[in-house]
Amino acid sequence: MSKLNTKVTDSVNFFQGNDPKKLVEEYGSPLYVYNERILRERCREIKNLVSYPHFSVNYSTKANNNLAFLQIVREEGLNVDAMSPGEAHVEFMAGFKPEQIFFISNNVSKEEMQYAIDHDITLSVDSLSQLEQYGQLNPGGRVAARFNGGVGAGHHEKVVTAGKKTKFAINPEYIPEFKEILKKYDLKLVGINQHIGSLFMEGDKYIEGVKAILNIAKEFDDLEFVDLGGGFGIPYEKLNDQPRLDLKDLGEKLSKILFDFAKEYGKELTFKVEPGRYISAECSVLLGTVHAVKQNNVHKFAGTDLGFNVLARPMMYDSHHDIEVYNNSDDTEEITVVGNICESGDIIAHDRVLPKVAEGDVIGVLDAGAYGYSMASNYNNRLRPAEILIRENGEVVLTRKRDTFEDLTRNFIPLK
Ligand SMILES: *Cc1c(COP(=O)(O)O)cnc(C)c1O
């Protein structure tokens, strides 16, 4: 039975014999640590989600765009989504081919659309005005479109991306106008997609969303694919024994729906899913260092180098991340873990019962691989951390260098 200090990482052999304190000594603090074996396991779980044969898993790169990470995702046979030409650019660097990339656009410029057209990447538009723009740029071309099936879900209102209140997608009531624009520019609609939101833990909401998008699919003849969206949740509260999403149950229900739909539609079209978080969250621990411990009125604080410039989720979405403390303390205490950014909201964890911490201790923020580094910034002119990867044999490699002062200032043009 391992101690609270390392309970979760021990249970999955996260560090594979590497000492977190030594990693910080060698690569600096803060530090994003990834585990290759866990990443590959997550890829395989989703690849095997359904028994329907024409199935594509498009990893949503916005959750984590590290190049080495994408190389592993590609080796595992996944395809990718891109939200911007910048993401597609890194995907090309990782070896993905144009036909493996699906550009899901939202309010993009003509230049960004042209990038997709020039690089033979299938693009999904999400409004009638963007379909017009696409038609003008690429008459006779192939295009996909994002529809709002009316079902939304997610862990926070900021990440619910379908339903009544969202900026995303085209409402089905506009399908007649949509078809007219297709005709006007002789466009071929190759697929439709949706994304109901992020971090569902019960499969039923997803299934409801799938049924809604399949109903919309029936409005169009000869689609090549239907993309059912991402949003597969992971248990962030492992110390509280939060259960995992039941992928087996979800997969079985989904398989039946997909087989039935293909039969009814009269064509073995391809179904895609586009998970970001499920693939990337759990293979990473963010390490940081405690620089101060103090009692301020009712709260005891651990002051760390883990500001919201390094991990934005707790500040942005009130997200919970479990914390481990890599010291030998057997005593616990209630403590609030904060960062080093000059804002009161810079809090990683409120009032947690943790092993007693002291200055110099290394702590780990668990499940940090999704929307962690990819949302990190240089706010307060701080340096974004390095990223390292623990290979399957336990060897550690650096996959992204820590920023330097030079990185902070390279784009400045001083006044003469
Ligand atoms: C962000 C996003 C995803 C991935 O969401 P996760 O919750 O990380 O799985 C999938 N599709 C679209 C369109 C997105 O914007």
Side-chain angles (χ1 to χ4, degrees), residues 236-293:
Y236 280 101
E237 303 211 25
K238 293 184 170 63
L239 289 170
N240 281 335
D241 299 317
Q242 185 186 3
R244 300 190 69 79
L245 172 65
D246 190 345
L247 272 190
K248 185 165 175 283
D249 180 62
L250 176 59
E252 280 166 8
K253 287 178 181 156
L254 207 50
S255 298
K256 179 168 184 332
I257 293 171
L258 302 187
F259 276 111
D260 287 352
F261 181 82
K263 202 161 157 200
E264 187 187 339
Y265 195 70
K267 180 176 172 183
E268 299 229 309
L269 67 187
T270 294
F271 293 102
K272 302 182 197 239
V273 293
E274 37 182 41
R277 183 188 317 275
Y278 195 87
I279 301 291
S280 61
E282 294 175 289
C283 64
S284 179
V285 172
L286 169 62
L287 297 179
T289 305
V290 177
H291 291 302
V293 179

Coordinates of all heavy atoms in Angstrom, one line a residue, residues 236-293:
Y236 N -10.7 13.1 -12.9 CA -9.7 14.0 -12.3 C -9.6 13.8 -10.8 O -8.6 14.2 -10.2 CB -10.0 15.5 -12.6 CG -9.6 15.9 -14.0 CD1 -10.6 16.0 -15.0 CD2 -8.3 16.2 -14.3 CE1 -10.2 16.4 -16.3 CE2 -7.9 16.6 -15.5 CZ -8.9 16.8 -16.5 OH -8.5 17.2 -17.8
E237 N -10.6 13.2 -10.2 CA -10.6 13.0 -8.7 C -10.3 11.6 -8.4 O -11.1 10.8 -7.8 CB -11.9 13.5 -8.1 CG -12.2 14.9 -8.5 CD -13.0 15.6 -7.4 OE1 -13.0 15.3 -6.2 OE2 -13.7 16.6 -7.8
K238 N -9.1 11.2 -8.7 CA -8.7 9.8 -8.5 C -8.5 9.5 -7.0 O -8.7 8.4 -6.6 CB -7.4 9.5 -9.3 CG -7.6 9.5 -10.8 CD -6.3 9.2 -11.5 CE -6.5 9.0 -13.0 NZ -7.0 10.1 -13.7
L239 N -8.0 10.5 -6.2 CA -7.8 10.3 -4.8 C -9.2 10.1 -4.1 O -9.2 9.5 -3.0 CB -7.1 11.5 -4.2 CG -5.6 11.6 -4.6 CD1 -5.0 12.9 -4.1 CD2 -4.8 10.4 -4.0
N240 N -10.3 10.5 -4.8 CA -11.6 10.2 -4.2 C -12.3 9.0 -4.9 O -13.5 8.9 -4.9 CB -12.5 11.5 -4.4 CG -12.3 12.5 -3.4 OD1 -11.8 12.2 -2.3 ND2 -12.6 13.8 -3.7
D241 N -11.4 8.3 -5.6 CA -11.9 7.1 -6.3 C -13.0 7.3 -7.3 O -14.0 6.6 -7.5 CB -12.4 6.0 -5.3 CG -11.3 5.6 -4.4 OD1 -10.2 5.3 -4.9 OD2 -11.5 5.5 -3.1
Q242 N -12.9 8.5 -8.0 CA -13.9 8.8 -9.0 C -13.9 7.7 -10.1 O -12.8 7.3 -10.6 CB -13.6 10.1 -9.7 CG -14.7 10.5 -10.7 CD -14.3 11.8 -11.4 OE1 -13.2 12.4 -11.3 NE2 -15.2 12.3 -12.3
P243 N -15.0 7.1 -10.5 CA -15.0 6.0 -11.5 C -14.6 6.5 -12.9 O -14.8 7.7 -13.2 CB -16.4 5.5 -11.5 CG -17.3 6.5 -10.8 CD -16.4 7.4 -10.0
R244 N -14.1 5.7 -13.7 CA -13.8 6.0 -15.1 C -15.1 6.0 -15.9 O -16.1 5.4 -15.6 CB -12.8 5.0 -15.7 CG -11.5 4.9 -15.0 CD -10.5 4.1 -15.8 NE -10.1 4.8 -17.0 CZ -9.2 5.8 -17.0 NH1 -8.6 6.1 -16.0 NH2 -8.9 6.4 -18.2
L245 N -15.0 6.7 -17.1 CA -16.1 6.6 -18.1 C -16.1 5.1 -18.5 O -15.1 4.5 -18.8 CB -15.7 7.5 -19.2 CG -16.5 7.5 -20.5 CD1 -17.9 8.0 -20.3 CD2 -15.8 8.4 -21.6
D246 N -17.3 4.6 -18.6 CA -17.5 3.2 -19.0 C -17.4 3.1 -20.5 O -18.4 3.1 -21.2 CB -18.8 2.7 -18.5 CG -18.9 1.2 -18.6 OD1 -18.1 0.6 -19.4 OD2 -19.8 0.6 -18.0
L247 N -16.2 2.9 -21.0 CA -15.9 2.9 -22.5 C -16.5 1.7 -23.1 O -17.0 1.7 -24.3 CB -14.5 2.9 -22.8 CG -13.7 4.3 -22.9 CD1 -12.3 4.1 -23.5 CD2 -14.5 5.3 -23.8
K248 N -16.5 0.6 -22.4 CA -17.0 -0.7 -23.0 C -18.5 -0.6 -23.3 O -19.0 -0.9 -24.4 CB -16.7 -1.8 -22.0 CG -17.1 -3.2 -22.5 CD -16.4 -4.3 -21.7 CE -16.9 -5.6 -22.2 NZ -18.3 -6.0 -21.7
D249 N -19.2 -0.1 -22.3 CA -20.7 0.1 -22.4 C -21.0 1.1 -23.6 O -21.8 0.9 -24.4 CB -21.2 0.6 -21.1 CG -22.7 0.8 -21.2 OD1 -23.4 -0.2 -21.4 OD2 -23.2 2.0 -21.0
L250 N -20.2 2.2 -23.5 CA -20.4 3.3 -24.6 C -20.1 2.7 -25.9 O -20.9 2.9 -26.9 CB -19.5 4.5 -24.3 CG -19.5 5.6 -25.3 CD1 -20.9 6.2 -25.5 CD2 -18.6 6.7 -24.9
G251 N -19.0 1.9 -26.0 CA -18.6 1.4 -27.3 C -19.7 0.4 -27.9 O -19.9 0.4 -29.1
E252 N -20.2 -0.4 -27.0 CA -21.2 -1.4 -27.4 C -22.5 -0.7 -27.9 O -23.0 -1.1 -29.0 CB -21.6 -2.4 -26.3 CG -20.5 -3.5 -26.1 CD -20.6 -4.2 -24.8 OE1 -21.6 -4.0 -24.1 OE2 -19.7 -5.0 -24.6
K253 N -22.9 0.3 -27.2 CA -24.1 1.0 -27.6 C -23.9 1.7 -28.9 O -24.7 1.7 -29.9 CB -24.5 2.1 -26.6 CG -25.2 1.4 -25.3 CD -25.5 2.5 -24.3 CE -26.1 1.9 -23.1 NZ -26.0 2.7 -21.9
L254 N -22.7 2.3 -29.0 CA -22.3 3.1 -30.2 C -22.2 2.2 -31.4 O -22.8 2.5 -32.5 CB -21.0 3.7 -29.9 CG -20.6 5.0 -30.7 CD1 -21.7 6.0 -30.6 CD2 -19.3 5.6 -30.1
S255 N -21.6 1.0 -31.3 CA -21.4 0.1 -32.4 C -22.8 -0.3 -33.0 O -23.0 -0.2 -34.2 CB -20.8 -1.2 -31.9 OG -19.5 -0.9 -31.4
K256 N -23.7 -0.6 -32.1 CA -25.0 -1.0 -32.6 C -25.7 0.2 -33.4 O -26.2 0.0 -34.5 CB -26.0 -1.3 -31.5 CG -27.3 -1.7 -31.9 CD -28.2 -2.4 -30.8 CE -29.5 -2.9 -31.3 NZ -30.1 -2.2 -32.5
I257 N -25.6 1.4 -32.9 CA -26.2 2.5 -33.6 C -25.5 2.7 -35.0 O -26.2 3.0 -36.0 CB -26.0 3.8 -32.7 CG1 -26.9 3.7 -31.5 CG2 -26.4 5.1 -33.5 CD1 -26.7 4.8 -30.4
L258 N -24.2 2.6 -35.0 CA -23.5 2.8 -36.3 C -23.8 1.8 -37.3 O -24.0 2.1 -38.5 CB -21.9 2.9 -36.0 CG -21.5 4.0 -35.0 CD1 -20.0 4.0 -34.9 CD2 -22.1 5.3 -35.3
F259 N -23.8 0.5 -36.9 CA -24.2 -0.6 -37.9 C -25.6 -0.3 -38.4 O -25.8 -0.4 -39.6 CB -24.1 -1.9 -37.2 CG -22.7 -2.6 -37.2 CD1 -22.0 -2.7 -36.0 CD2 -22.1 -3.0 -38.3 CE1 -20.8 -3.3 -36.0 CE2 -20.9 -3.6 -38.3 CZ -20.2 -3.7 -37.1
D260 N -26.5 0.0 -37.5 CA -27.9 0.2 -37.9 C -28.0 1.4 -38.8 O -28.7 1.3 -39.8 CB -28.8 0.5 -36.7 CG -29.0 -0.8 -35.9 OD1 -28.6 -1.9 -36.3 OD2 -29.6 -0.7 -34.7
F261 N -27.3 2.5 -38.5 CA -27.4 3.6 -39.4 C -26.8 3.4 -40.8 O -27.4 3.7 -41.8 CB -26.6 4.8 -38.8 CG -26.8 6.1 -39.6 CD1 -27.9 6.9 -39.5 CD2 -25.8 6.4 -40.5 CE1 -28.1 8.0 -40.4 CE2 -25.9 7.5 -41.4 CZ -27.1 8.3 -41.3
A262 N -25.7 2.7 -40.8 CA -25.0 2.4 -42.1 C -26.0 1.6 -43.0 O -26.1 1.9 -44.2 CB -23.7 1.7 -42.0
K263 N -26.7 0.7 -42.4 CA -27.7 -0.1 -43.1 C -28.8 0.7 -43.7 O -29.2 0.6 -44.8 CB -28.2 -1.2 -42.2 CG -28.7 -2.4 -42.8 CD -28.8 -3.6 -41.9 CE -29.8 -4.6 -42.3 NZ -30.3 -5.4 -41.2
E264 N -29.3 1.5 -42.8 CA -30.4 2.4 -43.2 C -30.0 3.4 -44.2 O -30.8 3.7 -45.2 CB -31.0 3.1 -41.9 CG -32.2 3.9 -42.2 CD -32.6 4.8 -41.0 OE1 -32.1 4.5 -39.8 OE2 -33.3 5.8 -41.2
Y265 N -28.8 3.9 -44.1 CA -28.3 4.9 -45.0 C -28.0 4.3 -46.4 O -27.9 5.0 -47.4 CB -27.1 5.6 -44.4 CG -26.7 6.9 -45.1 CD1 -27.4 8.1 -45.0 CD2 -25.5 7.0 -45.8 CE1 -27.0 9.3 -45.6 CE2 -25.0 8.2 -46.4 CZ -25.8 9.3 -46.3 OH -25.4 10.5 -46.8
G266 N -27.7 3.0 -46.3 CA -27.4 2.3 -47.6 C -26.0 2.4 -48.0 O -25.6 2.3 -49.2
K267 N -25.1 2.8 -47.1 CA -23.7 3.0 -47.5 C -22.8 2.8 -46.2 O -23.2 3.2 -45.1 CB -23.6 4.4 -48.0 CG -22.2 4.8 -48.4 CD -22.1 6.2 -49.0 CE -20.7 6.6 -49.3 NZ -20.6 8.0 -49.8
E268 N -21.7 2.1 -46.4 CA -20.8 1.9 -45.2 C -19.9 3.2 -45.1 O -18.7 3.2 -45.3 CB -19.9 0.7 -45.5 CG -20.7 -0.6 -45.6 CD -20.1 -1.7 -44.8 OE1 -18.9 -1.9 -44.8 OE2 -20.9 -2.3 -44.0
L269 N -20.5 4.2 -44.6 CA -19.7 5.4 -44.4 C -18.8 5.3 -43.2 O -18.9 4.5 -42.4 CB -20.6 6.7 -44.4 CG -21.6 7.0 -43.3 CD1 -22.4 8.2 -43.7 CD2 -22.5 5.8 -43.0
T270 N -17.8 6.3 -43.2 CA -16.9 6.3 -42.1 C -17.4 7.1 -40.9 O -18.0 8.2 -41.2 CB -15.5 6.9 -42.6 OG1 -15.0 6.0 -43.5 CG2 -14.5 7.0 -41.4
F271 N -17.2 6.6 -39.7 CA -17.5 7.4 -38.5 C -16.2 7.8 -37.9 O -15.3 7.0 -37.7 CB -18.4 6.6 -37.6 CG -19.8 6.3 -38.1 CD1 -20.1 5.1 -38.7 CD2 -20.7 7.3 -38.2 CE1 -21.3 4.8 -39.2 CE2 -22.0 7.1 -38.7 CZ -22.3 5.8 -39.2
K272 N -16.2 9.1 -37.5 CA -15.0 9.6 -36.7 C -15.4 10.0 -35.3 O -16.5 10.4 -35.1 CB -14.5 10.9 -37.4 CG -14.1 10.7 -38.9 CD -13.5 12.0 -39.4 CE -13.5 12.1 -40.9 NZ -12.2 12.3 -41.4
V273 N -14.5 9.9 -34.4 CA -14.6 10.6 -33.1 C -13.3 11.4 -33.0 O -12.3 11.2 -33.6 CB -14.7 9.6 -31.9 CG1 -16.0 8.8 -32.0 CG2 -13.5 8.6 -31.9
E274 N -13.4 12.4 -32.1 CA -12.3 13.4 -32.0 C -11.9 13.7 -30.6 O -12.1 14.8 -30.2 CB -12.6 14.6 -32.8 CG -14.1 15.1 -32.8 CD -14.4 16.3 -33.6 OE1 -13.9 16.4 -34.7 OE2 -15.1 17.2 -33.1
P275 N -11.4 12.7 -29.9 CA -11.0 13.0 -28.5 C -9.7 13.8 -28.4 O -8.8 13.5 -29.1 CB -10.8 11.6 -27.9 CG -10.4 10.8 -29.1 CD -11.1 11.4 -30.3
G276 N -9.7 14.7 -27.4 CA -8.4 15.4 -27.1 C -8.0 15.0 -25.7 O -7.0 14.3 -25.5
R277 N -8.8 15.4 -24.8 CA -8.5 15.1 -23.4 C -8.3 13.6 -23.1 O -7.3 13.3 -22.3 CB -9.7 15.6 -22.5 CG -9.4 15.5 -21.0 CD -10.7 15.8 -20.2 NE -11.4 17.0 -20.8 CZ -11.1 18.2 -20.5 NH1 -10.1 18.5 -19.6 NH2 -11.8 19.2 -21.0
Y278 N -9.1 12.8 -23.6 CA -9.0 11.4 -23.2 C -7.7 10.8 -23.6 O -7.1 10.0 -22.8 CB -10.1 10.5 -23.8 CG -10.2 9.2 -23.2 CD1 -11.0 9.0 -22.0 CD2 -9.5 8.1 -23.6 CE1 -11.1 7.8 -21.4 CE2 -9.5 6.9 -23.0 CZ -10.3 6.7 -21.8 OH -10.4 5.5 -21.2
I279 N -7.1 11.2 -24.7 CA -5.8 10.7 -25.2 C -4.7 11.3 -24.3 O -3.7 10.7 -24.0 CB -5.6 11.1 -26.7 CG1 -6.7 10.5 -27.5 CG2 -4.3 10.7 -27.2 CD1 -6.7 9.0 -27.7
S280 N -4.8 12.6 -24.0 CA -3.6 13.3 -23.5 C -3.6 13.6 -22.0 O -2.5 13.9 -21.5 CB -3.5 14.7 -24.3 OG -4.6 15.5 -24.1
A281 N -4.7 13.7 -21.3 CA -4.7 14.2 -20.0 C -3.9 13.3 -19.0 O -3.0 13.8 -18.3 CB -6.1 14.3 -19.4
E282 N -4.1 12.0 -19.0 CA -3.6 11.2 -18.0 C -2.2 10.7 -18.1 O -1.6 10.2 -17.2 CB -4.5 9.9 -17.8 CG -5.9 10.3 -17.3 CD -6.9 9.2 -17.3 OE1 -7.3 8.7 -18.4 OE2 -7.2 8.7 -16.2
C283 N -1.6 11.0 -19.3 CA -0.2 10.6 -19.5 C 0.7 11.7 -19.0 O 1.9 11.6 -19.3 CB 0.1 10.2 -20.9 SG -0.1 11.6 -22.1
S284 N 0.3 12.7 -18.3 CA 1.2 13.7 -17.9 C 1.0 14.2 -16.4 O -0.1 14.3 -15.9 CB 1.0 15.0 -18.8 OG 1.9 16.0 -18.3
V285 N 2.1 14.4 -15.8 CA 2.1 15.1 -14.4 C 3.0 16.3 -14.6 O 4.0 16.3 -15.2 CB 2.8 14.1 -13.4 CG1 3.0 14.8 -12.1 CG2 1.9 12.9 -13.2
L286 N 2.4 17.4 -14.0 CA 3.2 18.7 -14.0 C 3.9 18.8 -12.7 O 3.2 18.8 -11.6 CB 2.2 19.9 -14.2 CG 2.7 21.3 -14.0 CD1 3.8 21.6 -14.9 CD2 1.6 22.3 -14.1
L287 N 5.2 18.9 -12.7 CA 6.0 19.0 -11.5 C 6.3 20.5 -11.2 O 6.5 21.3 -12.1 CB 7.3 18.3 -11.6 CG 7.3 16.8 -11.8 CD1 8.7 16.2 -12.0 CD2 6.5 16.1 -10.7
G288 N 6.2 20.8 -9.9 CA 6.6 22.2 -9.5 C 7.3 22.2 -8.2 O 7.4 21.1 -7.5
T289 N 7.7 23.3 -7.7 CA 8.5 23.4 -6.5 C 7.8 24.4 -5.5 O 7.3 25.4 -5.9 CB 9.9 23.9 -6.8 OG1 10.5 23.0 -7.8 CG2 10.8 23.9 -5.6
V290 N 7.8 24.0 -4.3 CA 7.3 24.8 -3.2 C 8.4 25.8 -2.8 O 9.5 25.4 -2.5 CB 6.9 24.0 -2.0 CG1 6.4 24.9 -0.8 CG2 5.8 23.0 -2.4
H291 N 8.1 27.1 -2.9 CA 9.1 28.1 -2.5 C 8.7 28.9 -1.2 O 9.6 29.6 -0.6 CB 9.2 29.2 -3.6 CG 9.9 28.6 -4.8 ND1 11.1 28.0 -4.8 CD2 9.5 28.5 -6.1 CE1 11.5 27.6 -6.0 NE2 10.5 27.8 -6.8
A292 N 7.5 28.7 -0.8 CA 7.1 29.4 0.5 C 5.9 28.7 1.1 O 5.1 28.1 0.4 CB 6.7 30.8 0.2
V293 N 5.9 28.7 2.4 CA 4.8 28.1 3.2 C 4.4 29.2 4.2 O 5.2 29.7 4.9 CB 5.1 26.8 3.9 CG1 3.9 26.3 4.7 CG2 5.6 25.8 2.9

